[in-house]
Amino acid sequence: MPGITEIKVLRLPFFLFLITITVSCQKKEANNFVKIHSLPNAVHEISGIVTLDNTLYAINDSGNNNTLFSISKEGKIAGKIKIKGTKNVDWEDLAYDKENNIYIGDFGNNNNKRKNLKIYKVSGILSDHISVSKIEFALEDQEKFPPKKKNFNFDIEAFIHLNGSLYLFTKDRSSKFTGTVKLYKLPALAGKHSAQLVGSYDTCNDSDDCFITGATINQSSDKIVLLTYNKLFVLSNFTEDNLFNGNIEKIKLNHYSQKEGVCFKNDSTLFITDEKMKHKKATLYEYKFD
């Protein structure tokens, strides 16, 4: 039976080769996402982060005060800035522009009934002369507050600044979850505005893993990352306003937690944060792209 013996010899190394490749890929993927530091209780409900001039800034979400925190490389609180003239109704994300302004998204809307959506533009963070202006807005396609539960897709927890505009990404809370993310465009100017619906994208149909909870854009403005509890959606080669019209890569982190903060450390590395859960502290992670 020489033929059978030969087949067995050939299959065994190939099978071992597949095992080696699988283990290697799993190890490589795990190494891409690493814990940096546990974070102090002052930011136990950290909901948004951004880097500005190599400093990491963070906010907490609803139920907390109107403080912008700076965090050291060791994961400690390096500074606190009270954002005067503001209230933390539900601060959900941070964005930045190339003029060193930070934008605070006060647009959390779990029950889809808020009419006072706003974004605070904070200027002068890198100086001693901080000023704040207010961008108020409504979503152009929301007519009822709240709408029917099957149409609960007006909660926003993620946004970016690009080319003088703000782009907002919704978190689908509909009773029949589809993972649809709606994309709105808004002028980055003080005043009252209507946010224009410019696109949508279906992430996946797992309601435990497909909520968009944070967004960031790199310094080159050619890569956008959307965050969920266990995934990254990386957008590139986009044109005009519909940022979903280019390439979209899905990356599974193999680490499930309440992740809500994401920003670029540099073009090849992300900072990611999650909130405190039971006995586990809020944590700062890094993810390195291949």
Side-chain angles (χ1 to χ4, degrees), residues 94-97 101-105 107 118-121 133-137 158-169 183-190 193-196 198 217 241 243:
L94 293 174
Y96 76 101
D97 63 26
N101 298 305
I102 285 181
Y103 298 82
I104 301 173
F107 40 46
K118 59 180 69 71
I119 295 167
Y120 298 109
K121 180 179 179 179
S133 57
K134 189 187 306 182
I135 302 168
E136 300 176 274
F137 68 97
F159 76 137
I160 61 166
H161 179 281
L162 176 63
N163 297 330
S165 296
L166 298 167
Y167 291 85
L168 290 61
F169 303 87
L183 171 64
Y184 294 88
K185 181 183 180 182
L186 181 68
L189 299 171
H193 306 279
S194 175
Q196 178 187 3
V198 293
I217 186 168
D241 290 333
L243 304 177

Side-chain angles (χ1 to χ4, degrees), residues 9-283:
V9 170
L10 287 172
R11 282 183 176 175
L12 183 57
F14 184 68
F15 176 67
L16 291 174
F17 173 74
L18 287 178
I19 293 176
T20 303
I21 290 296
T22 302
V23 171
S24 174
C25 289
Q26 289 174 344
K27 185 176 180 181
K28 185 176 182 182
E29 185 170 314
N31 285 343
N32 281 5
F33 181 77
V34 295
K35 176 181 175 180
I36 303 301
H37 293 289
S38 294
L39 295 173
N41 286 332
V43 288
H44 69 286
E45 290 188 316
I46 189 168
S47 61
I49 57 175
V50 72
T51 49
L52 197 66
D53 194 32
N54 295 317
T55 298
L56 182 66
Y57 292 92
I59 53 171
N60 287 314
D61 60 17
S62 60
N64 293 279
N65 59 27
N66 56 339
T67 300
L68 179 68
F69 298 88
S70 59
I71 298 176
S72 71
K73 294 179 181 178
E74 293 74 33
K76 307 297 184 183
I77 301 299
K80 301 179 182 180
I81 304 172
K82 279 275 191 177
I83 309 301
K84 295 181 179 179
T86 70
K87 181 181 179 180
N88 185 347
V89 177
D90 196 355
W91 289 8
E92 287 291 356
D93 203 8
L94 293 174
Y96 76 101
D97 63 26
K98 295 184 178 180
E99 297 178 352
N100 294 326
N101 298 305
I102 285 181
Y103 298 82
I104 301 173
D106 187 1
F107 40 46
N109 190 13
N110 291 4
N111 297 317
N112 281 230
K113 62 182 182 180
R114 277 188 69 180
K115 294 184 179 181
N116 60 339
L117 304 175
K118 59 180 69 71
I119 295 167
Y120 298 109
K121 180 179 179 179
V122 185
S123 304
I125 287 291
L126 303 181
S127 71
D128 295 327
H129 305 286
I130 294 176
S131 62
V132 181
S133 57
K134 189 187 306 182
I135 302 168
E136 300 176 274
F137 68 97
L139 304 175
E140 69 167 359
D141 60 332
Q142 183 170 11
E143 298 177 353
K144 295 183 179 180
F145 300 84
K148 293 182 179 179
K149 290 187 177 180
K150 66 179 181 179
N151 297 322
F152 263 41
N153 202 350
F154 299 101
D155 183 22
I156 301 167
E157 295 195 6
F159 76 137
I160 61 166
H161 179 281
L162 176 63
N163 297 330
S165 296
L166 298 167
Y167 291 85
L168 290 61
F169 303 87
T170 64
K171 182 178 184 179
D172 184 6
R173 293 184 177 276
S174 303
S175 54
K176 294 183 179 180
F177 183 83
T178 63
T180 300
V181 181
K182 295 197 292 183
L183 171 64
Y184 294 88
K185 181 183 180 182
L186 181 68
L189 299 171
K192 296 184 178 181
H193 306 279
S194 175
Q196 178 187 3
L197 180 63
V198 293
S200 65
Y201 173 69
D202 293 339
T203 55
C204 51
N205 58 8
D206 182 357
S207 61
D208 289 329
D209 196 24
C210 301
F211 286 141
I212 298 300
T213 59
T216 186
I217 186 168
N218 63 351
Q219 282 284 347
S220 303
S221 300
D222 60 4
K223 183 182 291 184
I224 296 168
V225 173
L226 306 181
L227 176 70
T228 77
Y229 293 161
N230 189 32
K231 288 187 180 71
L232 303 174
F233 291 86
V234 184
L235 285 54
S236 59
N237 296 321
F238 42 82
T239 58
E240 299 179 347
D241 290 333
N242 188 355
L243 304 177
F244 295 124
N245 67 3
N247 299 331
I248 301 177
E249 178 186 8
K250 298 180 185 180
I251 299 173
K252 193 165 185 177
L253 298 174
N254 290 327
H255 180 279
Y256 187 90
S257 63
Q258 192 170 338
K259 300 176 184 69
E260 296 198 5
V262 61
C263 68
F264 277 92
K265 176 182 179 181
N266 52 52
D267 272 6
S268 62
T269 307
L270 294 172
F271 282 133
I272 296 173
T273 57
D274 60 13
E275 292 191 3
K276 179 180 178 180
M277 294 182 69
K278 296 182 179 179
H279 301 297
K280 175 192 164 299
K281 288 190 172 183
T283 305

